[in-house]
């Protein structure tokens, strides 16, 4: 738990206000000019008290700014624990991620992402909690905490998804009880019961094999050379929250992420962003422009997209946005191996999503 300890005012901080107050009282009681009723004396007295008041205001302003800077440092540290920066490389994958909150002054909002290297491959989550700004932050923390544990514990990706569902349900129950402790049990008509989270789970194996679960989230884009296209067009499951997961969960096999290819994961705040004329932000066009001449790093893709997004919204996005870019920088292995990944005997293509591959555990 992070605690913020308030500091009591120090003797040094009280010196200046005391000094200004002493000057004002001494002038009023001891200066002969202050005892006169003439216009000139009144002007001088007003000037003295104006100077005293200005000095006090400046002092209070500086003290408040110091406290504000300290509070922002603490807030950034706390928010970075919730949505911690991702390492630049994970098991041979080049990684770049960033988030833009619609809440002014906030570092994180209702979007969440995480990527961890496990014995089962690199597992990635991207999600979007209903609402924006700081309100959904508790739900974000609950889901990310669950994912960071489940990604290492669960051998099947389906098990990770079920853990996320249980974590969300538990968090919403606790939140409902905290908001209405006298009720005893959560009210099904309470607004908390209407909360939902879109979630995209990805698993990237050592050979680049892609498996995914999608609960109401936009599918990522695959960048292969100068080609940009959706990873798949398969209909997603419903978002977590309103409806339970199916009894049988089967991960979607989405081909392989061959060396040199990238995935761009994002939240709906990106493609739903509008300009002053109401036109939507076209992410695929921006990605094609970013990689038109030559392959670029995930960090460069991230900068290009955010620069274009801020320009499109004139610097005032109305929803939280998050992007996560993964590029396979692993060795290509034997000559012709990458070609086999794209169109060999297995029939895998860079942009196709094949039939379900494996069945997860039912809990």
């Amino acid at each position: 738990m992070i605690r913020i300890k308030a500091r009591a005012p120090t003797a040094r901080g009280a010196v200046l206000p005391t000094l200004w107050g002493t000057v004002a009282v001494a002038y009023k009681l001891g200066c002969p000019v202050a005892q006169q009723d003439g216009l000139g004396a009144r002007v001088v007295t007003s000037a003295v008290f104006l100077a005293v008041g200005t000095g006090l205001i400046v002092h209070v302003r500086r003290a408040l700014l110091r406290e504000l800077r300290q509070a922002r440092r603490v807030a950034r540290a706390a928010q970075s624990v919730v949505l911690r920066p991702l390492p630049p490389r994970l098991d041979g994958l080049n990684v770049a991620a960033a988030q833009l909150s619609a809440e002014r002054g906030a570092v994180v909002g209702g979007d969440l992402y995480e990527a961890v290297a496990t014995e089962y491959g690199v597992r990635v989550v991207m999600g979007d909690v209903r609402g924006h700004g700081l309100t959904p932050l508790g739900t974000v923390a609950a889901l990310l905490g669950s994912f960071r544990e489940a990604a290492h514990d669960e051998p099947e990706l389906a098990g990770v998804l079920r853990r996320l569902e249980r974590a969300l349900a538990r968090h919403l129950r606790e939140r409902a009880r905290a908001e209405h402790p006298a009720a005893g049990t959560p009210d099904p008509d309470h607004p908390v019961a209407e909360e939902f989270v879109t979630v995209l789970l990805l698993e990237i194996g050592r050979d680049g094999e892609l498996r995914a679960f999608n609960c109401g989230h936009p599918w990522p884009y695959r960048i292969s050379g100068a080609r940009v296209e959706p990873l798949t067009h398969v209909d997603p499951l419903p978002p977590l929250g309103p409806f339970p997961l199916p009894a049988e969960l089967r991960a979607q096999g989405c081909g392989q992420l061959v060396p040199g290819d990238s995935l761009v994961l994002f939240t709906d705040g990106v493609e739903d962003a509008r300009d002053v004329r109401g036109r939507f932000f076209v992410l695929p066009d921006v990605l094609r422009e970013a990689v038109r001449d030559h392959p670029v790093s995930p960090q460069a893709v991230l900068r290009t997209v955010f620069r274009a997004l801020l320009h499109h919204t004139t610097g005032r996005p109305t929803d939280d946005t998050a992007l996560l870019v993964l590029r396979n920088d692993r060795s290509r292995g034997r000559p012709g191996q990458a070609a086999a990944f794209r169109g060999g005997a297995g029939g895998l293509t860079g942009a196709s999503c094949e039939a379900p591959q494996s069945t997860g555990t039912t809990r």
Side-chain angles (χ1 to χ4, degrees):
M1 180 181 292
I2 298 176
R3 295 184 175 89
I4 302 175
K5 184 177 180 181
R7 295 181 299 176
T10 61
R12 181 180 178 182
V15 170
L16 189 57
T18 303
L19 179 60
W20 281 109
T22 302
V23 169
V25 172
Y27 171 79
K28 183 63 179 177
L29 298 179
C31 181
V33 178
Q35 311 302 323
Q36 299 177 10
D37 293 332
L39 179 61
R42 291 180 179 179
V43 170
V44 172
T45 300
S46 299
V48 169
F49 280 94
L50 178 61
V52 170
T54 302
L56 289 174
I57 291 173
V58 170
H59 174 75
V60 171
R61 180 177 180 274
R62 289 178 176 174
L64 290 176
L65 287 176
R66 284 197 300 270
E67 292 298 326
L68 179 60
R69 285 192 291 267
Q70 177 65 16
R72 284 179 173 173
R73 283 194 292 267
V74 173
R76 290 192 188 99
Q79 292 176 18
S80 66
V81 172
V82 175
L83 196 66
R84 61 192 181 190
L86 297 182
R89 293 188 66 82
L90 271 175
D91 196 17
L93 301 179
N94 197 342
V95 182
Q99 175 167 347
L100 183 64
S101 175
E103 187 85 13
R104 184 176 180 181
V107 179
V108 299
D111 295 345
L112 60 99
Y113 57 79
E114 181 64 286
V116 293
T118 73
E119 60 180 304
Y120 313 108
V122 174
R123 287 178 167 176
V124 183
V125 65
M126 171 73 79
D128 187 356
V129 181
R130 180 191 180 197
H132 64 270
L134 296 176
T135 304
L137 192 55
T139 306
V140 170
L143 289 174
L144 286 179
S146 177
F147 172 78
R148 288 163 183 162
E149 290 293 328
H152 292 281
D153 295 343
E154 298 290 340
E156 295 291 338
L157 199 59
V160 179
L161 184 59
R162 293 197 184 279
R163 291 270 289 268
L164 293 181
E165 182 188 40
R166 292 199 297 270
L168 176 63
R170 183 170 55 250
H171 169 74
L172 294 181
R173 285 196 303 269
E174 293 172 352
R175 179 177 156 189
R177 291 193 185 100
E179 293 180 0
H180 296 279
T185 58
D187 183 1
D189 296 328
H190 190 271
V192 171
E194 301 176 359
E195 294 292 330
F196 64 86
V197 183
T198 67
V199 170
L200 175 68
L201 274 180
L202 279 178
E203 182 179 275
I204 307 172
R206 283 295 307 162
D207 59 354
E209 181 186 2
L210 286 169
R211 300 196 311 145
F213 280 108
N214 189 342
C215 297
H217 200 83
W219 283 106
Y221 287 103
R222 184 198 298 265
I223 302 177
S224 182
R227 190 171 70 247
V228 177
E229 48 199 359
L231 181 63
T232 178
H233 296 283
V234 175
D235 292 335
L237 297 168
L240 294 183
F243 306 101
L245 290 172
E248 293 293 330
L249 282 177
R250 199 174 279 271
Q252 292 287 337
C254 299
Q256 286 172 303
L257 187 71
V258 303
D261 283 3
S262 300
L263 286 179
V264 180
L265 288 70
F266 58 95
T267 56
D268 59 6
V270 176
E271 291 192 319
D272 288 347
R274 301 193 186 203
D275 62 8
V276 293
R277 298 181 181 179
R279 296 174 299 185
F280 289 103
F281 183 74
V282 185
L283 179 58
D285 290 351
V286 175
L287 294 176
R288 292 186 187 99
E289 183 67 23
V291 300
R292 180 179 57 181
D293 298 328
H294 54 80
V296 294
S297 67
Q299 293 76 14
V301 171
L302 205 66
R303 287 193 298 268
T304 300
V305 173
F306 272 110
R307 189 182 303 116
L309 182 64
L310 290 173
H311 176 74
H312 185 79
T313 59
T314 63
R316 295 187 297 270
T318 58
D319 195 6
D320 299 331
T321 57
L323 279 95
L324 193 158
V325 186
L326 301 158
R327 187 178 71 188
N328 189 350
D329 283 347
R330 295 166 178 165
S331 171
R332 291 183 179 269
R334 298 186 303 275
Q337 184 178 10
F341 283 164
R342 283 195 172 93
L348 300 176
T349 60
S352 67
C353 191
E354 58 179 7
Q357 291 285 321
S358 61
T359 302
T361 56
T362 301
R363 296 180 178 251

